[in-house]
Amino acid sequence: PLADPDPGYTSYAELVGVVDEVVAAHPDIAAKSVIGQSHEGRDLVAVKISDNVGVDEDQPEVLFVHAQHAREHLTVEMAVHLMRLLTDGYGSDPRVTDLVDGREIWILPNVNPDGSEYDMAGSTWRDWRKNRQPNEGSAALGTDLNRNWAYEWGCCGGSSGSPSSITYRGPAPESAPEVRVVADFVRGRVVGGEQQITTAIDFHTYSELILWPFGHTYDDVTDGMSQAEYDTHEALGEHMAEANGYTPQQSSDLYVTDGSINDWLWGDQRIVNFTYEMYPRSAADGGFYPPSSVIERETARNEEAVLRLLDYADCPYRIIGEEA
Ligand SMILES: NS(=O)(=O)N[C@@H](CCC(=O)O)C(=O)O
Ligand SMILES: [Zn+2]
């Protein structure tokens, strides 16, 4: 971009370059695929990391989603960090090697590239959150991707019907091409009638939280969430929070959301999943725009927590001593 509010953050072009570099350096365990396009036509990329990466092996799959919200740029840096952790560590770090051998890991490093690019195109940050899709009958642009998912969409006052709102849910579930593409990718991981993805993290900023479903209700246990399933989310959330110092809680303890990825991944696909709200804890420490000098520290901070999710990916219910 002509200007750049903080060159330490990774632009979309730089991100594609990093993906190509990682895949070229580790062709046996890393592969890039394009799963679709954003509204403005940018490729939505998926990086698969696993041994025999070109073969769909019968192994538990884990999904990492980054940058649903444009201004949350630290989440793209988290994706870059994870790509490097899981490839550079292979063959040298025994824990990383075992996890890459025994799982198929999918990193979607930026699912809202139009928004990310718009937010960093000027000499100052633009505070953009949504995608860049026009809204019929309105001058206001953008859908909030994290209100556009097709489980209990718009059910509960956890989103807005107004195109100008930053939590605009869109005119219909999956009306945002970026959501449709990612949802189709996840549905595509149902093989022989079974969803191969067992666990997932959707990265956001900020507040330093680990959130689990549901967001659309304050109830722990409800239709689609048994006590054992809730306890599994809570125990795994707490286990990860011990590693990174974030605060673990149900998503609706923060505020009610509807149409979020959390609720769809669990409610529709039965994927045990979490939203990470990364650094900082408060606006006083930079809010959505901490200086790029914190990137290394605040991405490395999540290594152990992510590895703990990968540990349990074969059977998340093991954490409460159950089979499934
Ligand atoms: N990253 S953020 O937008 O500040 N918070 C997320 C929280 C996600 C959730 O509660 O599930 C959101 O409102 O979509
Ligand atoms: Zn967010």
Side-chain angles (χ1 to χ4, degrees):
L2 289 178
D4 190 337
D6 183 343
Y9 281 95
T10 304
S11 68
Y12 177 72
E14 289 165 341
L15 176 65
V16 173
V18 168
V19 168
D20 291 343
E21 173 210 315
V22 166
V23 168
H26 306 278
D28 298 344
I29 57 168
K32 167 188 173 183
S33 51
V34 174
I35 59 173
Q37 274 71 38
S38 67
H39 168 71
E40 292 176 346
R42 292 182 175 86
D43 284 347
L44 299 178
V45 170
V47 178
K48 181 185 176 186
I49 298 172
S50 184
D51 64 328
N52 306 316
V53 69
V55 179
D56 180 11
E57 297 183 300
D58 184 17
Q59 297 177 334
E61 299 183 17
V62 183
L63 174 68
F64 299 111
V65 177
H66 303 258
Q68 278 203 89
H69 291 144
R71 60 193 174 187
E72 300 169 16
H73 301 281
L74 190 59
T75 69
V76 174
E77 309 309 329
M78 189 68 230
V80 168
H81 192 87
L82 283 182
M83 283 188 269
R84 296 199 192 288
L85 171 74
L86 296 171
T87 54
D88 293 343
Y90 188 82
S92 53
D93 179 319
R95 187 176 178 198
V96 167
T97 305
D98 288 349
L99 290 170
V100 170
D101 283 345
R103 280 99 173 98
E104 293 179 335
I105 299 158
W106 298 97
I107 298 173
L108 278 50
N110 191 331
V111 299
N112 183 7
D114 302 351
S116 301
E117 285 296 283
Y118 175 77
D119 194 54
M120 74 164 60
S123 55
T124 57
W125 299 110
R126 290 173 166 167
D127 206 22
W128 191 254
R129 170 182 169 99
K130 301 191 284 183
N131 75 353
R132 294 292 295 165
Q133 185 179 12
N135 293 305
E136 202 175 326
S138 169
L141 284 178
T143 290
D144 180 354
L145 300 187
N146 208 28
R147 299 298 185 278
N148 188 241
W149 295 81
Y151 186 81
E152 296 288 342
W153 177 82
C155 71
C156 306
S159 60
S160 171
S162 166
S164 58
S165 169
I166 61 168
T167 57
Y168 178 51
R169 66 176 78 97
E174 300 187 13
S175 56
E178 298 86 359
V179 170
R180 173 59 62 92
V181 162
V182 176
D184 282 347
F185 169 77
V186 173
R187 284 185 282 258
R189 298 310 310 137
V190 176
V191 177
E194 188 186 353
Q195 175 54 264
Q196 302 299 302
I197 301 171
T198 62
T199 46
I201 297 174
D202 175 45
F203 287 94
H204 288 255
T205 75
Y206 62 89
S207 294
E208 298 189 5
L209 305 171
I210 293 180
L211 306 174
W212 55 83
F214 283 118
H216 71 82
T217 175
Y218 290 121
D219 294 343
D220 299 359
V221 174
T222 183
D223 287 350
M225 182 74 83
S226 71
Q227 188 66 57
E229 292 163 344
Y230 184 85
D231 292 348
T232 297
H233 279 90
E234 184 178 49
L236 200 40
E238 289 172 348
H239 184 51
M240 293 186 287
E242 276 168 28
N244 67 4
Y246 290 7
T247 300
Q249 62 188 59
Q250 183 175 345
S251 163
S252 54
D253 292 347
L254 185 64
Y255 39 74
V256 167
T257 55
D258 49 43
S260 74
I261 192 172
N262 263 164
D263 288 8
W264 183 80
L265 284 172
W266 172 254
D268 190 88
Q269 296 291 315
R270 312 302 281 175
I271 296 170
V272 172
N273 79 96
F274 302 86
T275 287
Y276 276 32
E277 294 285 356
M278 295 177 69
Y279 176 90
R281 195 167 281 281
S282 75
D285 293 325
F288 292 111
Y289 300 113
S292 54
S293 55
V294 311
I295 289 172
E296 177 52 33
R297 184 191 74 210
E298 291 304 323
T299 54
R301 175 175 176 184
N302 282 320
E303 282 183 13
E304 174 59 31
V306 166
L307 291 174
R308 289 183 175 192
L309 185 82
L310 288 166
D311 284 342
Y312 280 92
D314 60 308
C315 180
Y317 305 96
R318 186 172 68 244
I319 197 155
I320 62 167
E322 295 209 352
E323 282 310 301

